[in-house]
Structures are given as C-alpha cells and as structure tokens.
Amino acid sequence: MCGIVGAIAQRPVTEILLEGLSRLEYRGYDSAGLAIINADQHLQRERAVGKVVALKNKLKSKPLIGLLGIAHTRWATHGKPAERNAHPHVSNNRIAVVHNGIIENYEVLREELKAEGYQFESDTDTEVIVHLIEKAESQGMNLLEAVMSIKTRLRGAYALGVISNDEPDHLIIARHGSPLVIGLGLGENFIGSDIQALLPVTNRFIYLENGDTAQISRYEIALYDVTGESVERDIVQSNASMGSCELGEYRHFMHKEIFEQPQAIQATLDGRLEADAFVNCISGTTANGQTAQQVLKEVDEIQIIACGTSYHAGLIARYWIESMTDVPCNVEVASEYRYRRQPPKKNLLVITLSQSGETADTLAALEKVKQTGCLATLSICNVPESSLTRESDFTLMTLAGAEIGVASTKAFTTQLVALQILLGLLMQAKQADQAKIEHLITGLKQLPLLVEQVLDRDTAIETMAEDFIDKNNALFLGRGEQYPVAMEGALKLKEISYIHAEAYPAGELKHGPLALVDNEMPIITVAPNTVLLEKLKSNLEEVRSRGGVLYIFADKAAKIAKQDNIHIIEMPAIPESIAAIVYSVPLQLLSYYTAVFKGTDVDKPRNLAKSVTVE
Ligand code: F6R
C-alpha cells in the first residue's frame, strides 16, 4: 500500500514521476504528492487529495521543474486522507520524505521530537522520519549518514525515498519490510515500489534486500546492507511489457482482466503439461539442496497460507489435494497464522499464495514458518522477483500478466491452475494412479476453451445483474469445493459493489442463515454436475419454499427448471476436476456488472488497495 516513485536525471523528472504514480495507483489512491529540488536548489512540493489526476491538474497551473524528485500515492493508515497528511513530508523546508509502510513506535518518537521543538503538520507516522533525518543532518551528518543513523530508531516497516536541497545530486533510499526497486537508466536512475512504475523509462532493475540503504546519483548507485557494509546486488533484466497496463477497448481493468482469463490460463499451462504427465516447473532448491521432486516425495502434510482471494484459492486446493492424495492439507489466513503457535513439523510443505508477492501478512507468516521449521517453503505467485518468491525455497509462477484492477480475477484462476499443476506433480511424486493424473491433465487442457464459453454468457449475466442494483444483502451458496467458490463470489460482490454478501456451505443454511431468507435476499449459487449436485438441489428447495429468490449458474444436467423465483444461466458441461475454476468466472462477471450499474469505482473500490504491504 502506498506507491513510491523517485528519479534523478539530466531532464526534468515531473512527468516521469507522475506517469510512475499513475501506474502505481493500484497501491493507494487517497491522495498524491510530489517534491522536487529546482534549479535554484530549493525544495518544492505539491500535494492533492484524491487520485493522481487531481495532482496532475494542480501541477498544470503550477508546474514544478527539477532534475531530482520523489512522489507518492497514499493509502491512508495514520491520519485521514487530507492534503496535510499526503506525502512527501517535509522538515525545515529542506528535506522531503516519501514512505510506504507503518512506523509502529511513531508516537514515542513524535513526543520526543516535539519536546525538541519540531512542529508537526500531519497526523501521519511518516512525519517523524523526516524530522529525525533533519535532526541527524543538522548535527553534521550528510543525507546518507543521517538516513542510516535513524534506521535503528524505527520499528515497523518502511520503504523510503529521501531528498535534501543541500544534496541536489543524490536520492537516498532505504528498505525494511516494504518493497523497493531501483531502475537503471543511462545517466539517470529511478526508484519505485515496483517495476510497473518504471517500465516507461527502463527494464533494468535492482531489487533492494531487507535492511538495504542506497545513495543514488545519475551515474552511480552505492548500496549498503543491513550492517552498513557496501554491497553489490544483481541487476535483473525484465521482460514485463508496458502494454499490459493499457485499457484498450475496455471500460475497466477488471472487465479486461476477466476476459483475459483464457489467455492467462493458457500461458500458465504452456510447457507444463505432456499427454500423460505434468512437467516440473517449480524453480529453486531448499537450503540443503533438495529439489522440488525430492521434497514432494517426502512431504506428509501441507499448510497453505494466504489472504483474501488467494486464501480462497487455497481453500479450493485443499479439496483437490485431499481427494486425490493421502496428504492432509490445512489452509489459514496469514494474519491469523502469523500469530498462532505452531508445533514444528518435519515433513511439512508450506505453500504461500499471493498475486503480488508483497502482502505483509503473508510475508510475515512465511518468516515465522522459516523460524519454526518445516521441510520446505513454496510460493505460488504472479510477480517474479517479488519478496515472497525471493524468500521461499521454491516458486511456481502464475503467468496472468499484470493485474491492475483491485479485485483479483485472472490472478485467482491462474493460482487455481498452478495449484492443479502442483497437485499433479505431487501425485506423480507419490506414484498415484496414472489414470487419475491423466484425468487431471485432460481437464486442464479443456480449461481455456470452457472459460471462453462462459465468457460468451456475458450479456445474460449483465442482464441478471440489473436485479441487484437495489439490493443491500446477498447470500452465496455452494457445496464441496464450490463453497470457497461461493466465498470468493461474495468477496467480489462486497468489495466492488459494496453490497453486504455472505457465503455459506448450502448444507449449513438450516442451522441459522435460513432465517435471513425472504424475497429481498438474493441467493446466488453455483451448481456444477458433481457428486453433491442432488444434495445442493434439496438445499435450494429449502430456500425456494421460503420465498427466496435464486440466481443459479447450473450445469444442464442439474435439470433445475426456470420458475418465477428461480433465474438460471446454463453453463457448458464441465469436468468436475476444473468446475471450481470455471464456475468462478460467472460470479466475477455478476459482481462486475452489479458494480457498474451501481456506479462504483470498479477498479479502485473505496478503502482498498491492490497490494497490501502493511499489517
Ligand atoms: C480481492 C483481493 C484481495 C487479495 C489479498 C491478497 O479481490 O484481491 O483479497 O487477494 O489482498 O493479495 P495477494 O494475493 O497479492 O497476496
């Protein structure tokens, strides 16, 4: 959360910073700001509440011109969205700081600085940082020394960009917990919260390690590790394209990304399936040199850890893993797992799932697992070189391409594909029945086409969504692995349309939620042709006989007749092994169209951000 961009160049940097901010807006969009050092060596700043465009508009009438600058788009943690809380924060009119993360001990530091005469303009935790740096500098340190010296005072997470009008040829950065990357140009260098921000200006990057500090000049990067020792870090050449961030013919990124799913799934499958076997596509080794194949042979328990939509992908995978192998699988949200005591388990494989690879809770849970001990850690992730992939023993990449819409869609379905590939590899390692392995492969090969067929129902789903415009609540039902599909459907609806939505296993209705059912409560359910179909139909009858209005995505074989309070969209025949993936798609479209009808900000729903890099 919060996006940082910075640049030091031989040309004016404002446009580069603004373009970077626009590309980082998915990380936060409460307010934005920019500071530069101008030709007279003065620090100048502009900030605006709202999206980056509000800052751009302000700068049109009052341009800031300089060759060194930092900028920020904010997701409020401490202090409401307001101009005075927007970054960059400034001390003594000469030092400016942008910050992503949370300083946990800011209250103590604030009191201490106030007692020394520093005046605070904002309610943020960040402002203590800039005053601490100013204090260190005024005691005789240069900017780099000042930043290094104050790091020991900060508890919590941070990625920092710092400039001072006394040092117009340097940009100082530091990282602890929150991500930060350096972009390398010719006679110019950049910083960003991720590479997306910098793709218009470079494709060569250095990823900072935790604890790193750097002094960035036009021609030189000096890097220091956590101990303050000078250090070299690898330069990574990225193949990421800028194009994936363009809307094209679509009105919203979410719609575009829903429609990109057949290609994203195909890309995640490419080269990973043979006619009768899964191809090992897991990279990495454990610290003692074990390969993924060796680990999968040895594993006797799996723990999946993730947040939000990624957590739902994990829940679905549990059904798959436990039905196809004898390996027990637990799934837990990272924010709980990280604070729960866990006994060490020798043959435990820990799988973290994350689109961004930067989710603070997931990273902290992984850190905890590594301390407690396990057989190996494996991340399934959409962002190469993210913190999660770098911290895990093994990585299995999803190839969804950049996902910009805050509501995760193609990242979710490609996570499910990656989880099936992992399942196939596990089954091979455990020498499972070959027919079952081939059955999985057959299902996966049909997947892109079946998702395309579901997308053809776009208009019918749009029409269905009209019924939801005036609703305040919705219930989602599913059975078996369709229960987490229902959970994901409910999450999508609530996050982008702001309709309160809950998901239940359909068999649980009579134990309480049935009391909520009346003709004002839409009930959305997915009914693929699985072993639980008849049970689900009985549960739906319980709802209908109490006046509930049902919206069902059903396999033809379900033979559910259209009636007054039953709305059905018929789905193509789908193999049970991939039903959870395919049935997620109509629920994404239903939420999307409901949000469009309600006029919400689909790609940037209120209060949320795409990459949750704070606890
Ligand atoms: C919902 C959504 C979030 C994320 C969650 C984890 O549509 O996108 O619930 O799934 O914040 O993010 P990642 O997968 O990046 O760890």
Side-chain angles (χ1 to χ4, degrees), residues 307-311 353-359 362 403 406-408 415 488 491-492 495 609-612:
C307 302
T309 290
S310 298
Y311 166 66
L353 298 177
S354 175
Q355 185 283 127
S356 61
E358 302 295 349
T359 303
T362 310
E403 192 180 64
V406 163
S408 188
Q415 277 174 350
E488 173 58 12
L491 177 64
K492 287 282 94 87
E495 71 181 319
K610 180 93 188 139
S611 190
V612 187

PDB file of all heavy atoms in Angstrom, residues 307-311 353-359 362 403 406-408 415 488 491-492 495 609-612, ligand 1:
ATOM      1  N   CYS A 307      -4.019 -14.630   1.888  1.00  0.00           N
ATOM      2  CA  CYS A 307      -5.023 -13.644   2.312  1.00  0.00           C
ATOM      3  C   CYS A 307      -6.059 -13.464   1.207  1.00  0.00           C
ATOM      4  O   CYS A 307      -5.732 -13.587   0.023  1.00  0.00           O
ATOM      5  CB  CYS A 307      -4.381 -12.268   2.524  1.00  0.00           C
ATOM      6  SG  CYS A 307      -3.074 -12.251   3.726  1.00  0.00           S
ATOM      7  N   GLY A 308      -7.256 -13.101   1.609  1.00  0.00           N
ATOM      8  CA  GLY A 308      -8.307 -12.674   0.679  1.00  0.00           C
ATOM      9  C   GLY A 308      -8.597 -13.694  -0.399  1.00  0.00           C
ATOM     10  O   GLY A 308      -8.807 -14.885  -0.144  1.00  0.00           O
ATOM     11  N   THR A 309      -8.587 -13.215  -1.625  1.00  0.00           N
ATOM     12  CA  THR A 309      -8.892 -14.082  -2.772  1.00  0.00           C
ATOM     13  C   THR A 309      -7.892 -15.239  -2.867  1.00  0.00           C
ATOM     14  O   THR A 309      -8.274 -16.372  -3.168  1.00  0.00           O
ATOM     15  CB  THR A 309      -8.868 -13.220  -4.056  1.00  0.00           C
ATOM     16  OG1 THR A 309     -10.012 -12.359  -4.003  1.00  0.00           O
ATOM     17  CG2 THR A 309      -8.932 -14.041  -5.304  1.00  0.00           C
ATOM     18  N   SER A 310      -6.639 -14.963  -2.586  1.00  0.00           N
ATOM     19  CA  SER A 310      -5.629 -16.031  -2.647  1.00  0.00           C
ATOM     20  C   SER A 310      -5.935 -17.111  -1.613  1.00  0.00           C
ATOM     21  O   SER A 310      -5.717 -18.306  -1.856  1.00  0.00           O
ATOM     22  CB  SER A 310      -4.237 -15.453  -2.403  1.00  0.00           C
ATOM     23  OG  SER A 310      -3.916 -14.520  -3.397  1.00  0.00           O
ATOM     24  N   TYR A 311      -6.466 -16.690  -0.467  1.00  0.00           N
ATOM     25  CA  TYR A 311      -6.867 -17.653   0.566  1.00  0.00           C
ATOM     26  C   TYR A 311      -7.977 -18.560   0.019  1.00  0.00           C
ATOM     27  O   TYR A 311      -7.968 -19.774   0.236  1.00  0.00           O
ATOM     28  CB  TYR A 311      -7.327 -16.878   1.802  1.00  0.00           C
ATOM     29  CG  TYR A 311      -8.081 -17.677   2.847  1.00  0.00           C
ATOM     30  CD1 TYR A 311      -7.446 -18.692   3.561  1.00  0.00           C
ATOM     31  CD2 TYR A 311      -9.421 -17.413   3.119  1.00  0.00           C
ATOM     32  CE1 TYR A 311      -8.136 -19.419   4.525  1.00  0.00           C
ATOM     33  CE2 TYR A 311     -10.113 -18.131   4.082  1.00  0.00           C
ATOM     34  CZ  TYR A 311      -9.474 -19.136   4.784  1.00  0.00           C
ATOM     35  OH  TYR A 311     -10.153 -19.861   5.724  1.00  0.00           O
ATOM     36  N   LEU A 353       0.403 -18.383  -1.092  1.00  0.00           N
ATOM     37  CA  LEU A 353      -0.222 -17.972  -2.352  1.00  0.00           C
ATOM     38  C   LEU A 353      -0.362 -16.465  -2.349  1.00  0.00           C
ATOM     39  O   LEU A 353      -0.874 -15.903  -1.381  1.00  0.00           O
ATOM     40  CB  LEU A 353      -1.644 -18.537  -2.469  1.00  0.00           C
ATOM     41  CG  LEU A 353      -1.837 -20.034  -2.496  1.00  0.00           C
ATOM     42  CD1 LEU A 353      -3.327 -20.356  -2.543  1.00  0.00           C
ATOM     43  CD2 LEU A 353      -1.159 -20.603  -3.730  1.00  0.00           C
ATOM     44  N   SER A 354       0.038 -15.816  -3.425  1.00  0.00           N
ATOM     45  CA  SER A 354      -0.107 -14.365  -3.468  1.00  0.00           C
ATOM     46  C   SER A 354       0.015 -13.864  -4.910  1.00  0.00           C
ATOM     47  O   SER A 354       0.932 -14.268  -5.628  1.00  0.00           O
ATOM     48  CB  SER A 354       0.970 -13.713  -2.612  1.00  0.00           C
ATOM     49  OG  SER A 354       0.920 -12.319  -2.735  1.00  0.00           O
ATOM     50  N   GLN A 355      -0.910 -13.038  -5.292  1.00  0.00           N
ATOM     51  CA  GLN A 355      -0.790 -12.393  -6.609  1.00  0.00           C
ATOM     52  C   GLN A 355       0.449 -11.501  -6.615  1.00  0.00           C
ATOM     53  O   GLN A 355       1.305 -11.618  -7.457  1.00  0.00           O
ATOM     54  CB  GLN A 355      -2.052 -11.573  -6.887  1.00  0.00           C
ATOM     55  CG  GLN A 355      -2.132 -10.937  -8.262  1.00  0.00           C
ATOM     56  CD  GLN A 355      -1.294  -9.701  -8.460  1.00  0.00           C
ATOM     57  OE1 GLN A 355      -0.510  -9.626  -9.413  1.00  0.00           O
ATOM     58  NE2 GLN A 355      -1.372  -8.739  -7.578  1.00  0.00           N
ATOM     59  N   SER A 356       0.506 -10.591  -5.638  1.00  0.00           N
ATOM     60  CA  SER A 356       1.537  -9.547  -5.645  1.00  0.00           C
ATOM     61  C   SER A 356       2.899 -10.031  -5.156  1.00  0.00           C
ATOM     62  O   SER A 356       3.927  -9.509  -5.548  1.00  0.00           O
ATOM     63  CB  SER A 356       1.096  -8.400  -4.736  1.00  0.00           C
ATOM     64  OG  SER A 356       0.949  -8.873  -3.401  1.00  0.00           O
ATOM     65  N   GLY A 357       2.862 -10.997  -4.238  1.00  0.00           N
ATOM     66  CA  GLY A 357       4.104 -11.422  -3.599  1.00  0.00           C
ATOM     67  C   GLY A 357       4.633 -10.414  -2.599  1.00  0.00           C
ATOM     68  O   GLY A 357       5.760 -10.521  -2.115  1.00  0.00           O
ATOM     69  N   GLU A 358       3.822  -9.401  -2.262  1.00  0.00           N
ATOM     70  CA  GLU A 358       4.279  -8.353  -1.336  1.00  0.00           C
ATOM     71  C   GLU A 358       3.331  -8.203  -0.148  1.00  0.00           C
ATOM     72  O   GLU A 358       3.477  -7.249   0.621  1.00  0.00           O
ATOM     73  CB  GLU A 358       4.391  -7.006  -2.048  1.00  0.00           C
ATOM     74  CG  GLU A 358       5.326  -6.981  -3.245  1.00  0.00           C
ATOM     75  CD  GLU A 358       6.790  -7.229  -2.888  1.00  0.00           C
ATOM     76  OE1 GLU A 358       7.140  -7.218  -1.692  1.00  0.00           O
ATOM     77  OE2 GLU A 358       7.582  -7.455  -3.822  1.00  0.00           O
ATOM     78  N   THR A 359       2.371  -9.095   0.015  1.00  0.00           N
ATOM     79  CA  THR A 359       1.378  -8.943   1.080  1.00  0.00           C
ATOM     80  C   THR A 359       2.056  -9.117   2.443  1.00  0.00           C
ATOM     81  O   THR A 359       2.649 -10.169   2.715  1.00  0.00           O
ATOM     82  CB  THR A 359       0.241  -9.960   0.873  1.00  0.00           C
ATOM     83  OG1 THR A 359      -0.292  -9.720  -0.424  1.00  0.00           O
ATOM     84  CG2 THR A 359      -0.842  -9.812   1.912  1.00  0.00           C
ATOM     85  N   THR A 362       1.279 -12.226   4.623  1.00  0.00           N
ATOM     86  CA  THR A 362       1.760 -13.491   4.040  1.00  0.00           C
ATOM     87  C   THR A 362       3.277 -13.596   4.204  1.00  0.00           C
ATOM     88  O   THR A 362       3.812 -14.657   4.541  1.00  0.00           O
ATOM     89  CB  THR A 362       1.336 -13.574   2.553  1.00  0.00           C
ATOM     90  OG1 THR A 362      -0.057 -13.294   2.474  1.00  0.00           O
ATOM     91  CG2 THR A 362       1.603 -14.941   1.971  1.00  0.00           C
ATOM     92  N   GLU A 403      -1.936  -7.569 -13.153  1.00  0.00           N
ATOM     93  CA  GLU A 403      -3.349  -7.409 -12.784  1.00  0.00           C
ATOM     94  C   GLU A 403      -3.478  -6.036 -12.133  1.00  0.00           C
ATOM     95  O   GLU A 403      -2.873  -5.773 -11.103  1.00  0.00           O
ATOM     96  CB  GLU A 403      -3.775  -8.525 -11.825  1.00  0.00           C
ATOM     97  CG  GLU A 403      -5.275  -8.578 -11.650  1.00  0.00           C
ATOM     98  CD  GLU A 403      -5.699  -9.683 -10.684  1.00  0.00           C
ATOM     99  OE1 GLU A 403      -5.330  -9.592  -9.488  1.00  0.00           O
ATOM    100  OE2 GLU A 403      -6.390 -10.618 -11.107  1.00  0.00           O
ATOM    101  N   VAL A 406      -8.241  -3.687  -8.677  1.00  0.00           N
ATOM    102  CA  VAL A 406      -8.007  -4.095  -7.284  1.00  0.00           C
ATOM    103  C   VAL A 406      -8.628  -5.466  -7.005  1.00  0.00           C
ATOM    104  O   VAL A 406      -8.051  -6.282  -6.295  1.00  0.00           O
ATOM    105  CB  VAL A 406      -8.544  -3.005  -6.320  1.00  0.00           C
ATOM    106  CG1 VAL A 406      -8.705  -3.537  -4.917  1.00  0.00           C
ATOM    107  CG2 VAL A 406      -7.569  -1.826  -6.312  1.00  0.00           C
ATOM    108  N   ALA A 407      -9.798  -5.724  -7.582  1.00  0.00           N
ATOM    109  CA  ALA A 407     -10.433  -7.035  -7.368  1.00  0.00           C
ATOM    110  C   ALA A 407      -9.720  -8.079  -8.218  1.00  0.00           C
ATOM    111  O   ALA A 407      -9.649  -7.978  -9.439  1.00  0.00           O
ATOM    112  CB  ALA A 407     -11.898  -6.952  -7.743  1.00  0.00           C
ATOM    113  N   SER A 408      -9.197  -9.088  -7.547  1.00  0.00           N
ATOM    114  CA  SER A 408      -8.400 -10.086  -8.240  1.00  0.00           C
ATOM    115  C   SER A 408      -9.304 -11.033  -9.038  1.00  0.00           C
ATOM    116  O   SER A 408     -10.287 -11.546  -8.522  1.00  0.00           O
ATOM    117  CB  SER A 408      -7.603 -10.871  -7.195  1.00  0.00           C
ATOM    118  OG  SER A 408      -6.691 -11.705  -7.821  1.00  0.00           O
ATOM    119  N   GLN A 415      -3.982 -18.941 -10.226  1.00  0.00           N
ATOM    120  CA  GLN A 415      -3.497 -19.602  -8.998  1.00  0.00           C
ATOM    121  C   GLN A 415      -4.084 -21.012  -8.914  1.00  0.00           C
ATOM    122  O   GLN A 415      -3.397 -21.975  -8.552  1.00  0.00           O
ATOM    123  CB  GLN A 415      -3.956 -18.832  -7.758  1.00  0.00           C
ATOM    124  CG  GLN A 415      -3.071 -17.664  -7.395  1.00  0.00           C
ATOM    125  CD  GLN A 415      -3.650 -16.844  -6.253  1.00  0.00           C
ATOM    126  OE1 GLN A 415      -4.792 -17.025  -5.845  1.00  0.00           O
ATOM    127  NE2 GLN A 415      -2.874 -15.919  -5.738  1.00  0.00           N
ATOM    128  N   GLU A 488     -15.587 -16.697  -2.603  1.00  0.00           N
ATOM    129  CA  GLU A 488     -14.907 -15.756  -3.496  1.00  0.00           C
ATOM    130  C   GLU A 488     -15.933 -14.871  -4.215  1.00  0.00           C
ATOM    131  O   GLU A 488     -15.717 -13.668  -4.380  1.00  0.00           O
ATOM    132  CB  GLU A 488     -14.027 -16.546  -4.483  1.00  0.00           C
ATOM    133  CG  GLU A 488     -13.375 -15.742  -5.586  1.00  0.00           C
ATOM    134  CD  GLU A 488     -12.482 -14.600  -5.089  1.00  0.00           C
ATOM    135  OE1 GLU A 488     -12.168 -14.522  -3.896  1.00  0.00           O
ATOM    136  OE2 GLU A 488     -12.129 -13.761  -5.943  1.00  0.00           O
ATOM    137  N   LEU A 491     -17.010 -12.241  -1.782  1.00  0.00           N
ATOM    138  CA  LEU A 491     -15.956 -11.228  -1.596  1.00  0.00           C
ATOM    139  C   LEU A 491     -15.938 -10.251  -2.775  1.00  0.00           C
ATOM    140  O   LEU A 491     -15.867  -9.027  -2.588  1.00  0.00           O
ATOM    141  CB  LEU A 491     -14.589 -11.904  -1.442  1.00  0.00           C
ATOM    142  CG  LEU A 491     -13.388 -10.965  -1.321  1.00  0.00           C
ATOM    143  CD1 LEU A 491     -13.471 -10.116  -0.061  1.00  0.00           C
ATOM    144  CD2 LEU A 491     -12.066 -11.730  -1.324  1.00  0.00           C
ATOM    145  N   LYS A 492     -16.038 -10.805  -3.997  1.00  0.00           N
ATOM    146  CA  LYS A 492     -16.025  -9.927  -5.182  1.00  0.00           C
ATOM    147  C   LYS A 492     -17.183  -8.944  -5.114  1.00  0.00           C
ATOM    148  O   LYS A 492     -17.016  -7.759  -5.357  1.00  0.00           O
ATOM    149  CB  LYS A 492     -16.159 -10.732  -6.482  1.00  0.00           C
ATOM    150  CG  LYS A 492     -14.969 -11.524  -6.923  1.00  0.00           C
ATOM    151  CD  LYS A 492     -13.874 -10.719  -7.571  1.00  0.00           C
ATOM    152  CE  LYS A 492     -12.846 -10.323  -6.547  1.00  0.00           C
ATOM    153  NZ  LYS A 492     -11.810 -11.240  -6.293  1.00  0.00           N
ATOM    154  N   GLU A 495     -16.660  -6.243  -2.303  1.00  0.00           N
ATOM    155  CA  GLU A 495     -15.572  -5.271  -2.442  1.00  0.00           C
ATOM    156  C   GLU A 495     -15.794  -4.249  -3.554  1.00  0.00           C
ATOM    157  O   GLU A 495     -15.336  -3.115  -3.440  1.00  0.00           O
ATOM    158  CB  GLU A 495     -14.204  -5.952  -2.575  1.00  0.00           C
ATOM    159  CG  GLU A 495     -13.958  -6.654  -3.873  1.00  0.00           C
ATOM    160  CD  GLU A 495     -12.600  -7.313  -3.930  1.00  0.00           C
ATOM    161  OE1 GLU A 495     -11.635  -6.716  -3.474  1.00  0.00           O
ATOM    162  OE2 GLU A 495     -12.525  -8.446  -4.448  1.00  0.00           O
ATOM    163  N   ALA A 609      -6.793  -1.283  -1.498  1.00  0.00           N
ATOM    164  CA  ALA A 609      -5.619  -1.099  -2.360  1.00  0.00           C
ATOM    165  C   ALA A 609      -5.227  -2.466  -2.871  1.00  0.00           C
ATOM    166  O   ALA A 609      -5.601  -3.489  -2.284  1.00  0.00           O
ATOM    167  CB  ALA A 609      -4.472  -0.480  -1.592  1.00  0.00           C
ATOM    168  N   LYS A 610      -4.514  -2.493  -3.969  1.00  0.00           N
ATOM    169  CA  LYS A 610      -4.209  -3.774  -4.596  1.00  0.00           C
ATOM    170  C   LYS A 610      -3.158  -4.557  -3.821  1.00  0.00           C
ATOM    171  O   LYS A 610      -3.256  -5.755  -3.668  1.00  0.00           O
ATOM    172  CB  LYS A 610      -3.708  -3.506  -6.018  1.00  0.00           C
ATOM    173  CG  LYS A 610      -3.353  -4.727  -6.797  1.00  0.00           C
ATOM    174  CD  LYS A 610      -4.528  -5.195  -7.595  1.00  0.00           C
ATOM    175  CE  LYS A 610      -4.284  -6.534  -8.258  1.00  0.00           C
ATOM    176  NZ  LYS A 610      -5.457  -7.386  -8.166  1.00  0.00           N
ATOM    177  N   SER A 611      -2.150  -3.874  -3.387  1.00  0.00           N
ATOM    178  CA  SER A 611      -1.021  -4.568  -2.784  1.00  0.00           C
ATOM    179  C   SER A 611      -0.983  -4.178  -1.308  1.00  0.00           C
ATOM    180  O   SER A 611      -0.716  -3.026  -0.991  1.00  0.00           O
ATOM    181  CB  SER A 611       0.244  -4.129  -3.517  1.00  0.00           C
ATOM    182  OG  SER A 611       1.323  -4.905  -3.143  1.00  0.00           O
ATOM    183  N   VAL A 612      -1.268  -5.134  -0.437  1.00  0.00           N
ATOM    184  CA  VAL A 612      -1.474  -4.788   0.971  1.00  0.00           C
ATOM    185  C   VAL A 612      -0.156  -4.978   1.724  1.00  0.00           C
ATOM    186  O   VAL A 612       0.080  -6.001   2.363  1.00  0.00           O
ATOM    187  CB  VAL A 612      -2.619  -5.616   1.581  1.00  0.00           C
ATOM    188  CG1 VAL A 612      -2.942  -5.144   2.984  1.00  0.00           C
ATOM    189  CG2 VAL A 612      -3.865  -5.485   0.714  1.00  0.00           C
TER     190      VAL A 612
HETATM  191  C1  F6R B   1      -9.679  -9.354  -3.535  1.00  0.00           C
HETATM  192  C2  F6R B   1      -8.235  -9.252  -3.490  1.00  0.00           C
HETATM  193  C3  F6R B   1      -7.570  -9.390  -2.170  1.00  0.00           C
HETATM  194  C4  F6R B   1      -6.204 -10.078  -2.340  1.00  0.00           C
HETATM  195  C5  F6R B   1      -5.459 -10.096  -0.999  1.00  0.00           C
HETATM  196  C6  F6R B   1      -4.157 -10.840  -1.100  1.00  0.00           C
HETATM  197  O1  F6R B   1     -10.171  -9.248  -4.837  1.00  0.00           O
HETATM  198  O2  F6R B   1      -7.598  -9.036  -4.476  1.00  0.00           O
HETATM  199  O3  F6R B   1      -8.358 -10.074  -1.261  1.00  0.00           O
HETATM  200  O4  F6R B   1      -6.400 -11.370  -2.814  1.00  0.00           O
HETATM  201  O5  F6R B   1      -5.228  -8.778  -0.599  1.00  0.00           O
HETATM  202  O6  F6R B   1      -3.327 -10.275  -2.064  1.00  0.00           O
HETATM  203  P1  F6R B   1      -2.141 -11.099  -2.709  1.00  0.00           P
HETATM  204  O7  F6R B   1      -2.734 -12.216  -3.490  1.00  0.00           O
HETATM  205  O8  F6R B   1      -1.415 -10.112  -3.554  1.00  0.00           O
HETATM  206  O9  F6R B   1      -1.313 -11.608  -1.570  1.00  0.00           O
END
